């Protein structure tokens, strides 16, 4: 798994994918930090991460769109699948590489807040809660994106598919207002990523939400492993 992780992490920055992702999110964070600093109050720093949340979830498909598609497209997947390494290690190596790229952005986004902290007193409970919530939400989307990329050889299709799911998860709460069936409403509320993410934005580290996001990631990584396993035997 370690070799797969290093290979994938290196590949993100040997192609435009990693740089595009980092550049876009860094530019957006910079813009919102500028707005917060222009207001001359550190109280708006948590709002920076609140505004960036939706953008981050929409841009994440850029990371995962090539996780599995490149190997299929370049016909290197069979060599990888016949190598003396389990499919679980392959999937986890690729997933951890994409999660590391995302984590780099989140950690980097804290640098302006730390600098501002030398001159004021930001609410670190809200800031760290939002960052941790964004990371947990993000790794769930990354796992979903990794699974979607295992279903196709096209990076565009994988990106659009993951993007569509990301948008659906963002707006799923709004669907409950137009559905009268209470059972369906309860199911949607239980599946709502936003309701699981919201407690973190108030500085509350909700154990059930942490378990939920980790469970979603585990389920889709398992499905990805099964998909690879089926190709190995076919």
């Amino acid at each position: 798994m370690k070799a797969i992780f290093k290979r994938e992490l290196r590949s993100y920055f040997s192609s435009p994918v990693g740089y595009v992702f980092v550049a876009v999110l860094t530019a957006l964070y910079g813009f919102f930090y500028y707005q917060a600093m222009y207001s001359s109050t550190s109280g708006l720093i948590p709002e920076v991460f609140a505004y960036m949340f939706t953008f981050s979830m929409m841009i994440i498909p850029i990371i995962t769109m090539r996780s599995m598609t490149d190997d299929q497209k370049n016909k290197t997947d069979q060599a990888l699948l016949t190598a003396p390494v389990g499919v679980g290690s392959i999937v986890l190596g690729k997933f951890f590489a994409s999660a590391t790229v995302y984590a780099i952005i989140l950690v980097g986004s804290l640098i302006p807040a730390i600098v501002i902290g030398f001159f004021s007193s930001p609410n670190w409970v809200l800031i760290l809660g939002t960052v941790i919530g964004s990371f947990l939400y993000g790794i769930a989307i990354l796992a979903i994106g990794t699974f979607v990329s295992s279903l196709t050889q096209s990076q565009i299709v994988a990106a659009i598919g993951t993007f569509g799911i990301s948008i659906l998860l963002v707006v799923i709460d709004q669907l409950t207002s137009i559905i009268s069936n209470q059972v369906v409403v309860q199911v949607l509320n239980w599946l709502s990523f936003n309701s699981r993410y919201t407690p973190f934005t108030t500085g509350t580290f909700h154990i059930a939400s942490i378990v939920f996001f980790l469970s979603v990631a585990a389920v889709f990584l398992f499905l990805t492993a099964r998909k690879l396993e089926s190709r190995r035997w076919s």
Side-chain angles (χ1 to χ4, degrees):
M1 184 181 72
K2 185 177 180 180
I4 300 294
F5 169 78
K6 289 182 177 179
R7 168 180 173 265
E8 289 298 309
L9 188 60
R10 190 183 307 113
S11 69
Y12 277 114
F13 296 100
S14 62
S15 68
V17 174
Y19 294 103
V20 168
F21 179 79
V22 171
V24 170
L25 283 187
T26 300
L28 288 171
Y29 269 113
F31 172 76
F32 288 118
Y33 265 115
Y34 169 78
Q35 296 293 323
M37 293 174 66
Y38 187 76
S39 66
S40 301
T41 173
S42 62
L44 292 181
I45 293 180
E47 297 296 322
V48 172
F49 295 94
Y51 289 134
M52 279 301 302
F53 171 73
T54 302
F55 290 107
S56 297
M57 294 310 110
M58 291 190 296
I59 297 174
I60 276 181
I62 294 177
I63 310 181
T64 59
M65 67 181 186
R66 56 170 298 281
S67 293
M68 299 293 176
T69 55
D70 271 4
D71 288 327
Q72 296 183 67
K73 183 178 179 180
N74 298 328
K75 306 301 181 183
T76 58
D77 56 331
Q78 290 305 315
L80 190 61
L81 291 172
T82 54
V85 58
V87 291
S89 296
I90 296 173
V91 173
L92 287 176
K94 290 175 175 289
F95 170 74
F96 285 141
S98 61
T100 299
V101 175
Y102 181 53
I104 290 172
I105 290 296
L106 289 179
V107 172
S109 69
L110 289 173
I111 295 176
I114 294 172
V115 173
I116 294 173
F118 287 114
F119 308 99
S120 60
S121 301
N123 191 328
W124 285 108
V125 174
L126 294 183
I127 294 173
L128 294 178
T130 304
V131 169
I132 292 173
S134 297
F135 179 71
L136 290 169
Y137 194 125
I139 62 173
I141 299 296
L142 287 171
I144 293 172
T146 302
F147 173 67
V148 172
S149 71
S150 72
L151 303 176
T152 178
Q153 295 184 12
S154 171
Q155 291 188 15
I156 301 300
V157 172
I160 293 175
T162 307
F163 178 79
I165 295 173
S166 299
I167 295 298
L168 176 62
L169 292 173
V170 169
V171 303
I172 195 171
D173 289 341
Q174 301 176 18
L175 298 177
T176 58
S177 62
I178 60 175
I179 297 176
S180 57
N181 190 309
Q182 290 302 310
V183 175
V184 176
V185 170
Q186 289 180 1
V187 171
L188 291 178
N189 285 332
W190 186 83
L191 292 174
S192 172
F193 276 35
N194 285 345
S195 63
R196 307 279 185 173
Y197 167 74
T198 301
F200 292 98
T201 62
T202 62
T204 303
F205 296 88
H206 202 262
I207 299 299
S209 298
I210 296 174
V211 173
F212 175 81
F213 286 126
L214 294 179
S215 298
V216 170
V219 167
F220 279 94
L221 291 177
F222 173 79
L223 292 175
T224 305
R226 297 285 67 78
K227 177 62 179 177
L228 289 186
E229 189 70 36
S230 67
R231 288 216 304 273
R232 167 178 280 182
W233 292 108
S234 64

